[in-house]
Amino acid sequence: MRHLMNPLDFSVEELDRLFDLANEIEKNPAKYAHVCDGKILATCFYEPSTRTRLSFESAMTRLGGRVIGFADANSSSAAKGESVSDTIRVISCYADICAMRHPKEGAPMVASEKSRIPVINAGDGGHYHPTQTLTDLLTIRSLKGHLDGFTIGLCGDLKFGRTVHSLINALVRYPGTRFIFISPEELKVPDYITEMLREKNVPYEEVIRLENVMPQLDMLYMTRVQKERFFNEEDYVRLKDFYVLDTAKMELAREDMLVLHPLPRVNEISVEVDDDPRAAYFRQAQYGVYVRMALIMTLLGLAS
Ligand code: CP
């Protein structure tokens, strides 16, 4: 039995097979419409979500399976003090696979240690969000044809953004990757990540002004300032609109640069950018369904 806690739980070769399957599902969804007949996915979300929970539910439904779960810790027995270890032991009696989001870093890992079914980390605190990373990689591979040799700008909240931490970890395995981290001083990428990049000799630079680096980028990954992880409102209000990507800034970018965003967006991408053909964030959300379909099949041993 396999779980997914961290994007690195799959080798590059396994990811290639997963993405091939996701692209195959995209081309021929009818072929996969009954692959999970009789199977049940549990979505245990202790933190708010639109995309991750609903794309998991859409994925399982499109595979012919069914879904149970909760979208709010207060509507589960966590509100009465039940531990995630006990909850997953019980969910193991009801479902064949579980996607869990939790505000505490490591909670899905604790659950996986007591589980009799595959557990997927659907985001744990500011730590990792591996299925978002699978979505991001599939989007890049599908739209660009490969995953190596890119200069990627990551912009916004690089301190608390778990999607950023996961994506950096995954992309360092592809040769020729170069990172440009664009953030205010207070939201810089954590030291453990820059130390890891230095150890692996992966080139990176840290800058504050987005405009200065736009022409160099193959991809710009915008992020929301994570209000829910700030300790005080004053800091959040000061930093929340530090970056706003608009059409004027897009004029500085290459014709083939992709704009990605895990969503939800607040103000960091102006809606006027949505019509730019380089804006890929809604296509990215669609790829999130295909990759979760492929992941469910893989973890249930149905992907032969
Ligand atoms: N990208 C993402 O994780 O979105 P949700 O928080 O809506 O699931």
Side-chain angles (χ1 to χ4, degrees):
M1 186 178 64
R2 266 185 106 167
H3 308 286
L4 177 67
M5 293 296 123
N6 177 326
L8 303 186
D9 290 348
F10 284 122
S11 67
V12 169
E13 293 73 28
E14 285 174 321
L15 286 183
D16 277 338
R17 285 199 289 277
L18 187 83
F19 299 148
D20 287 344
L21 176 58
N23 287 140
E24 177 62 30
I25 292 168
E26 177 189 7
K27 282 194 218 114
N28 192 359
K31 183 176 161 192
Y32 298 90
H34 296 286
V35 171
C36 284
D37 279 356
K39 300 288 185 194
I40 297 176
L41 165 75
T43 52
C44 300
F45 276 59
Y46 296 82
E47 225 188 25
S49 169
T50 296
R51 270 145 299 275
T52 311
R53 186 172 65 83
L54 295 181
S55 64
F56 263 117
E57 296 189 1
S58 173
M60 189 48 140
T61 306
R62 287 172 191 275
L63 291 169
R66 304 186 74 169
V67 179
I68 59 173
F70 54 86
D72 174 7
N74 288 324
S75 68
S76 79
S77 285
K80 302 176 210 162
E82 186 172 58
S83 67
V84 290
S85 300
D86 282 0
T87 300
I88 196 67
R89 283 182 173 196
V90 174
I91 298 286
S92 296
C93 306
Y94 304 156
D96 300 288
I97 187 165
C98 173
M100 178 181 287
R101 171 171 288 188
H102 203 288
K104 280 200 188 138
E105 300 183 358
M109 173 69 89
V110 170
S112 71
E113 285 161 4
K114 299 290 180 194
S115 181
R116 289 190 288 111
I117 59 174
V119 177
I120 300 165
N121 176 4
D124 60 329
H127 192 214
Y128 287 135
H129 191 348
T131 62
Q132 181 62 50
T133 302
L134 300 183
T135 302
D136 301 339
L137 295 180
L138 176 65
T139 305
I140 296 168
R141 202 186 82 144
S142 301
L143 299 181
K144 290 286 194 183
H146 60 101
L147 286 163
D148 53 331
F150 290 125
T151 295
I152 296 152
L154 295 117
C155 178
D157 184 349
L158 309 187
K159 179 178 179 181
F160 296 114
R162 59 192 172 198
T163 61
V164 167
H165 305 158
S166 281
L167 184 59
I168 295 168
N169 253 313
L171 281 170
V172 294
R173 300 194 293 186
Y174 295 93
T177 298
R178 173 175 165 242
F179 294 107
I180 302 184
F181 300 132
I182 308 141
S183 73
E185 194 64 32
E186 297 89 335
L187 297 177
K188 278 172 72 171
V189 75
D191 289 344
Y192 77 88
I193 289 186
T194 48
E195 279 160 23
M196 178 270 290
L197 295 175
R198 284 196 295 275
E199 269 168 29
K200 292 182 186 294
N201 288 319
V202 176
Y204 73 90
E205 58 183 293
E206 295 181 279
V207 302
I208 295 176
R209 274 181 65 81
L210 174 59
E211 292 86 331
N212 293 357
V213 295
M214 281 294 270
Q216 301 179 44
L217 304 178
D218 297 303
M219 238 92 58
L220 173 60
Y221 194 91
M222 293 297 293
T223 62
R224 170 180 70 94
V225 174
Q226 305 261 309
K227 183 180 184 185
E228 64 276 30
R229 316 232 184 265
F230 271 76
F231 294 113
N232 70 70
E233 176 82 12
E234 197 182 306
D235 283 350
Y236 170 70
V237 169
R238 186 166 50 79
L239 294 169
K240 72 183 171 68
D241 294 328
F242 202 93
Y243 299 105
V244 179
L245 182 66
D246 55 17
T247 48
K249 291 194 188 76
M250 286 298 287
E251 278 173 23
L252 304 170
R254 291 189 197 157
E255 284 299 305
D256 62 350
M257 187 193 79
L258 289 183
V259 182
L260 301 172
H261 191 310
L263 304 176
R265 136 180 80 182
V266 186
N267 291 325
E268 60 278 1
I269 302 179
S270 167
V271 290
E272 68 194 18
V273 177
D274 295 356
D275 294 330
D276 189 308
R278 295 168 291 184
Y281 30 93
F282 291 115
R283 279 175 282 169
Q284 194 178 349
Q286 177 71 65
Y287 282 116
V289 178
Y290 303 132
V291 88
R292 289 181 175 100
M293 290 171 79
L295 178 65
I296 290 169
M297 285 178 60
T298 301
L299 293 182
L300 288 176
L302 301 170
S304 57

